[in-house]
Amino acid sequence: MGNKRVMVPAEEVDLSSIKYQPQSIQAPHVTGFLFRLFVRILEAPLLGPFIISILKKDNEFDQILRNTVIPEEPMFKPEYPPQEPEPAVIVLDEDGRPLDRVESALNCLPHYDPAEFWENSSSPFHYWKIRDYAYAYRSRNATPSIVAERIISVIEENLRSTPPSPLLISFDAVEVRKQAAASTQRFEEGNPLSILDGIFMAIKDDIDCYPHPSKGASTWKHEVRTVKKDAVSVSRLRSCGVIFIGKANMHEFGMGTTGNNSNYGTARNPHAPDRYTGGSSSGPAALVASGLCSAALGTDGGGSVRIPSSLCGVVGLKTNYGRTSMEGSLCDSGTVEIIGPIASTVEDVMLVYSAILGSSSASRISLKPSPPCLPTLSFYDDSNALGSLQIGKYTPWFNDVLSTEVSDKCEDALNLLSKAHGCEIKEIVIPELHEMRAAHLVSIGSECLCALNPDIEDGKGGNLTYDTRTSLALFRSFTAADYVAAQCLRRRIMYHHLEIFKNVDIIVTPTTGMTAPKIPPSALESGETDMQTTGYLMRFIIAANLLGLPAISIPVGYDKEGLPIGLQVIGRPWAEATILRIASAVEKLCGESKKRPVSYYDVLKGN
C-alpha cells in the first residue's frame, strides 16, 4: 500500500514547481565472456525475469508505468493541431516529380561558386558539396566513373583491413560501375537528370535498395524477406540520378546507440578509429564523414540519424513523423521511426530531403500534414532573417552532459546566433522528462519486438547478437498495460511541448550528452551492454521520436581531443523549413574551422 501516484491533468501542472532531476541509469556495463553469460542469465526462465524486474525497479519503470494513475487518454501515434504557415519559404509539391522538387530546392540555396574552391588548393579543409560534384562533372574535371573507381578502391581496401571495420554490409563493384557509367554518359550527352545526378550515396541496411538484400545488419533477415524493388525514398533518389554504392553498416536491427556490430565488424569513427561512430546509422554517418559519400539515408527511431551525425561531425535531419514514406524499410509500421538524410552540409541535406519527401496516403489521412516547405536561403538578408525567432532552452537539462565541453560549445553557438541575428533565447521548462524516456522505451521496444517476434518464434532468435538479445529480454517484460500507460504519457508530453511552442519557435539542446565513446576491445567480438553510455547518447533526442517532431543535428565544434560536438534543433510539428533555416545559420557561424578527419578520402579530386 502507499505506492500509488496520481498525476494531475497535464494542463494543471505547475511549471514553477518543476525541479530538474539529472538522469541516472542503474545498470551494469558488461563485455566479453561476462556479457555472454549475462545474456544467458537474462534469457533463463526464472532468474532472467527476476533480474529484469530489479533493473526496472531501480530505474523507476514500475513506478512510472504501473503505480501511477495517468488521467490522459492514450495517443497511439502523434497527433497535431493545425499549424501556422512558416515564413519565407517555398512550398514543395509532394505529389510532383522528385526532379522538380530538387530543382526548387536548388533555387533556395545561397550563392556559391564551386570554381573558386576547385581552383584554390590552399583553402582550409572543407567537405565537397553536391554542387562541387556537379561543377566537376559539367566542367569535365571529373566523371562519375572516375569517382566510382576511387570509391571502389577505398572500400575494397577497407574490407581487407584487420580488424575488420566495414562501412558497408552489401557492396557490388560491378553494380556501382554500371550506375556510374550511365551517369557519365548522361553528362557527356549534356543531359544530366538533376543536380543529384552522379552523386554517390549509401543506404542504411534496413532500407531496401535493389538488388541488394536488406539484412538489418543481421546474418539472416535476407533469408526470410526478399527485396524485389527499391524503397519509395530510394526510388525517388534513383529517379534523380543518384548512384548507390551499397548497404551501410548499422547496429543490428537498429537496437543500439553505439553502432557496435559483432556480425560484420564495427564501423569506426573517421575522427578517431578507436571510437564508436554512434548508432544505429553508424555506416551512413561514417561514410559521409570520411568523404566517400556526399550523403546517405538512415532511419531514426531513437536518435539513430542524429546521434551518429553528431559523433561524426556531419549533419543529420530527422524529419517530422509521416513526412517521408517508410514503405520498403524494415521499420515501416512503427510510430516513432522516420527515414532521413545525413550529409556533410545543411544544403546537401536540403537537396536530398526535397527528393525523398512525400507522405504516404495513410499518413495524409491520419496526420493531416502541413505542406512540405524549404527556407528561401537565397533570398533573405543575413542581418535580419532570424531576428524574430524565439529559441527555447531548458538550461538544467541543456547542461546535464558528461563533459562541460559539450554544453559550452553548444552555448557558444547559441551566443553567436543571438549576436549575429538577434534571436531571443528564452528559458523554458520541460516537465516529466523521466516519464518521456520510459514512454519512448516502451513504445519503440514493443514495436521492435512485434516486428521480430514471428522470426524469433520461427527459430531465428538464437542468431541475434547478444546486445539485441539483451534489449529483447527487456522488451518482453513490458505488458499491454505498460504500453497503454506509455501512450497516455505520450499525450501528456505532447501537450507540454505544444504549450512550449506557443512561446518559442524551436527548442535547442546538445545532440548528445557526450562525444564519441571509446570502443572496448572486448566488445568487438560479442558486443556489450552499457546503459550509462546509452543514456548520455540518447539524453536529448527522445522528444523528437516519441512526439514525431522534426529535429536536426549540426556540428558546432570539437572537444579537446578533437572529437565532434553537435547542436540539436527541435521544431514545431511539420516545421522542417524553420529548423533547416536555423541550421544553415549555425553552420555558417560555426563551420569555418572544420577539422579533416583522420580517415578522409578526397574521391572527387583524388588527392
Side-chain angles (χ1 to χ4, degrees):
M1 297 294 292
N3 290 330
K4 186 171 80 170
R5 181 173 66 125
V6 179
M7 302 181 89
V8 300
E11 61 268 22
E12 296 179 15
V13 172
D14 179 7
L15 295 182
S16 66
S17 67
I18 301 297
K19 304 297 181 187
Y20 180 76
Q21 296 178 328
Q23 179 180 322
S24 177
I25 298 178
Q26 307 300 316
H29 177 199
V30 194
T31 65
F33 168 77
L34 290 178
F35 180 41
R36 297 193 294 272
L37 177 62
F38 177 68
V39 175
R40 299 288 187 185
I41 293 172
L42 285 184
E43 294 176 335
L46 296 176
L47 191 54
F50 175 71
I51 291 175
I52 288 174
S53 69
I54 293 175
L55 291 172
K56 288 168 68 177
K57 182 179 179 181
D58 289 346
N59 290 282
E60 300 181 344
F61 274 88
D62 285 346
Q63 179 187 359
I64 292 171
L65 296 168
R66 300 185 181 183
N67 300 341
T68 299
V69 178
I70 307 168
E72 283 72 25
E73 63 182 38
M75 180 166 64
F76 293 104
K77 66 191 317 184
E79 299 173 7
Y80 312 110
Q83 299 297 306
E84 293 292 326
E86 296 174 88
V89 299
I90 65 160
V91 177
L92 301 177
D93 180 6
E94 60 182 324
D95 292 318
R97 299 191 309 162
L99 291 166
D100 295 332
R101 292 197 298 270
V102 170
E103 185 65 25
S104 295
L106 185 61
N107 292 331
C108 287
L109 301 181
H111 172 73
Y112 174 68
D113 183 7
E116 177 184 340
F117 286 98
W118 186 268
E119 302 297 336
N120 187 0
S121 59
S122 62
S123 62
F125 171 76
H126 67 285
Y127 284 102
W128 295 116
K129 298 181 180 182
I130 287 172
R131 287 196 276 182
D132 291 311
Y133 279 84
Y135 167 78
Y137 296 157
R138 286 177 169 85
S139 60
R140 306 295 177 93
N141 288 316
T143 69
S145 289
I146 290 173
V147 175
E149 292 304 322
R150 292 167 181 163
I151 294 172
I152 290 168
S153 175
V154 173
I155 291 172
E156 290 181 341
E157 181 181 342
N158 281 349
L159 290 173
R160 295 189 295 266
S161 66
T162 303
S165 56
L167 300 177
L168 292 170
I169 286 175
S170 180
F171 169 69
D172 183 343
V174 173
E175 175 66 20
V176 175
R177 289 186 175 110
K178 178 182 174 182
Q179 296 175 75
S183 179
T184 298
Q185 183 175 348
R186 289 193 293 270
F187 277 98
E188 288 175 349
E189 295 171 351
N191 295 311
L193 295 174
S194 76
I195 192 74
L196 296 180
D197 204 339
I199 299 303
F200 291 82
M201 288 186 62
I203 304 299
K204 189 178 178 182
D205 197 35
D206 59 355
I207 305 170
D208 292 346
C209 181
Y210 186 81
H212 299 278
S214 291
K215 303 177 183 179
S218 73
T219 58
W220 55 266
K221 187 64 177 178
H222 60 295
E223 298 172 2
V224 299
R225 180 183 180 276
T226 303
V227 174
K228 298 179 179 179
K229 61 179 182 178
D230 289 333
V232 168
S233 56
V234 173
S235 175
R236 290 169 177 167
L237 288 167
R238 198 184 293 275
S239 72
C240 297
V242 167
I243 300 171
F244 301 106
I245 68 168
K247 302 300 290 298
N249 204 346
M250 59 180 285
H251 213 112
E252 187 183 57
F253 290 118
M255 282 191 244
T257 57
T258 61
N260 183 293
N261 189 307
S262 55
N263 290 329
Y264 298 97
T266 297
R268 307 305 182 96
N269 194 309
H271 290 271
D274 62 337
R275 293 181 182 264
Y276 282 121
T277 58
S280 62
S281 304
S282 52
L287 282 159
V288 172
S290 66
L292 288 170
C293 286
S294 295
L297 286 190
T299 54
D300 191 318
S304 292
V305 161
R306 289 160 290 153
I307 291 170
S309 295
S310 177
L311 268 51
C312 292
V314 292
V315 182
L317 173 65
K318 188 249 167 224
T319 65
N320 203 99
Y321 174 75
R323 179 65 88 190
T324 56
S325 173
M326 298 296 292
E327 182 182 342
S329 66
L330 300 186
C331 44
D332 60 358
S333 58
T335 67
V336 296
E337 197 108 13
I338 62 92
I339 292 174
I342 297 172
S344 58
T345 64
V346 174
E347 74 166 60
D348 288 356
V349 159
M350 287 175 59
L351 291 170
V352 175
Y353 165 64
S354 67
I356 68 172
L357 66 82
S359 301
S360 67
S361 56
S363 291
R364 294 192 205 186
I365 293 170
S366 63
L367 298 173
K368 299 179 176 61
S370 300
C373 302
L374 285 178
T376 50
L377 303 179
S378 57
F379 305 146
Y380 68 70
D381 176 358
D382 281 355
S383 64
N384 59 20
L386 303 171
S388 62
L389 287 179
Q390 309 285 308
I391 300 174
K393 177 186 171 213
Y394 187 18
T395 297
W397 187 40
F398 190 100
N399 291 335
D400 188 8
V401 293
L402 182 62
S403 167
T404 56
E405 289 182 275
V406 173
S407 52
D408 288 347
K409 281 292 181 185
C410 291
E411 186 78 44
D412 291 344
L414 293 182
N415 290 336
L416 288 172
L417 193 63
S418 179
K419 182 177 179 180
H421 297 285
C423 303
E424 182 181 357
I425 300 174
K426 288 187 173 182
E427 187 66 26
I428 60 173
V429 173
I430 306 176
E432 301 171 10
L433 289 171
H434 292 313
E435 285 81 358
M436 179 167 68
R437 173 167 58 99
H440 174 264
L441 182 61
V442 172
S443 299
I444 193 172
S446 299
E447 291 168 9
C448 288
L449 184 61
C450 180
L452 287 174
N453 255 340
D455 294 320
I456 293 172
E457 294 297 320
D458 205 28
K460 297 295 186 182
N463 297 331
L464 294 165
T465 60
Y466 283 99
D467 49 347
T468 299
R469 289 162 64 180
T470 303
S471 297
L472 291 176
L474 172 62
F475 299 160
R476 288 190 192 96
S477 73
F478 299 143
T479 66
D482 293 334
Y483 183 77
V484 173
Q487 309 320 304
C488 294
L489 289 172
R490 194 198 301 232
R491 188 173 295 280
R492 288 180 66 87
I493 294 158
M494 180 70 85
Y495 173 84
H496 294 316
H497 280 74
L498 292 179
E499 287 297 296
I500 290 169
F501 282 123
K502 290 179 180 179
N503 298 306
V504 301
D505 297 288
I506 60 169
I507 298 170
V508 291
T509 71
T511 306
T512 59
M514 65 187 301
T515 51
K518 283 192 174 181
I519 305 172
S522 57
L524 291 173
E525 181 180 352
S526 303
E528 65 176 319
T529 177
D530 184 358
M531 296 311 295
Q532 285 84 8
T533 292
T534 294
Y536 277 114
L537 293 177
M538 293 186 70
R539 177 145 303 164
F540 305 107
I541 57 85
I542 290 171
N545 293 112
L546 184 66
L547 307 181
L549 301 171
I552 192 168
S553 177
I554 321 103
V556 291
Y558 306 86
D559 68 6
K560 61 186 177 185
E561 296 183 81
L563 300 172
I565 294 169
L567 176 76
Q568 177 181 229
V569 178
I570 305 171
R572 289 190 177 106
W574 309 113
E576 287 93 351
T578 296
I579 64 171
L580 286 166
R581 188 189 302 283
I582 286 278
S584 178
V586 170
E587 179 181 68
K588 188 173 182 179
L589 293 166
C590 302
E592 295 302 320
S593 56
K594 285 278 187 185
K595 285 188 55 179
R596 183 188 181 100
V598 174
S599 299
Y600 175 77
Y601 306 94
D602 185 347
V603 296
L604 182 57
K605 269 196 170 182
N607 295 337

